[in-house]
Amino acid sequence: MAERAILAYFNTPEQAEQALEKIKSLRLVDYAIDRFDGYAGTGIQQLDQLGNTIAGTFRGLGYLTLGGDFDNPDAAVLGAASVSASGMSSGGPDNRVTGRDILLTAIVEEADYEQAWQFAKEAGAL
């Protein structure tokens, strides 16, 4: 039987998990819930790895505030220009730009596609 993929974007992981619980009642082949952003790498994980910010021995503003690990200096400059890096964003948790950064990918049998998509929309999917 044929399969179809659903790519549903959510504001929170809880919304994606809520949709997934309902979709599991259908013929679900495979699924994944991922968080994504526009910055490469994991950046700083612990404050004791910060280095000396006064002496300038850190990789840059994008590394400190966004967790970005930029290999390209141009990408680092663009990351530092983000409103999330400067702290001057328009709100949201931790003063970060809000948005749909949670992706639920679900592969279902074709006959269950419409019902699965309805479950995702009811949970707040875009």
Side-chain angles (χ1 to χ4, degrees):
M1 185 171 249
E3 300 169 348
R4 290 195 65 186
I6 293 174
L7 300 174
Y9 297 89
F10 295 92
N11 289 321
T12 66
E14 292 77 21
Q15 288 176 317
E17 289 166 8
Q18 177 186 6
L20 180 61
E21 287 307 312
K22 290 182 179 180
I23 292 171
K24 282 182 178 179
S25 68
L26 305 172
R27 289 172 287 184
L28 179 65
V29 176
D30 200 6
Y31 69 90
I33 297 177
D34 299 300
R35 179 177 293 252
F36 64 93
D37 65 16
Y39 309 107
T42 58
I44 188 165
Q45 296 297 314
Q46 298 185 359
L47 290 177
D48 61 351
Q49 299 173 353
L50 184 59
N52 187 346
T53 57
I54 293 174
T57 57
F58 63 97
R59 296 183 192 170
L61 181 63
Y63 177 77
L64 292 175
T65 60
L66 301 173
D69 191 11
F70 303 102
D71 293 333
N72 183 324
D74 295 335
V77 170
L78 289 174
S82 165
V83 294
S84 293
S86 69
M88 299 299 286
S89 70
S90 61
D94 300 323
N95 201 28
R96 296 181 65 86
V97 175
T98 57
R100 297 180 190 267
D101 62 346
I102 305 298
L103 173 63
L104 167 63
T105 305
I107 301 172
V108 296
E109 295 293 334
E110 189 168 18
D112 291 335
Y113 176 78
E114 291 300 327
Q115 184 63 49
W117 183 239
Q118 187 61 38
F119 286 153
K121 288 197 302 189
E122 289 171 3
L126 177 67

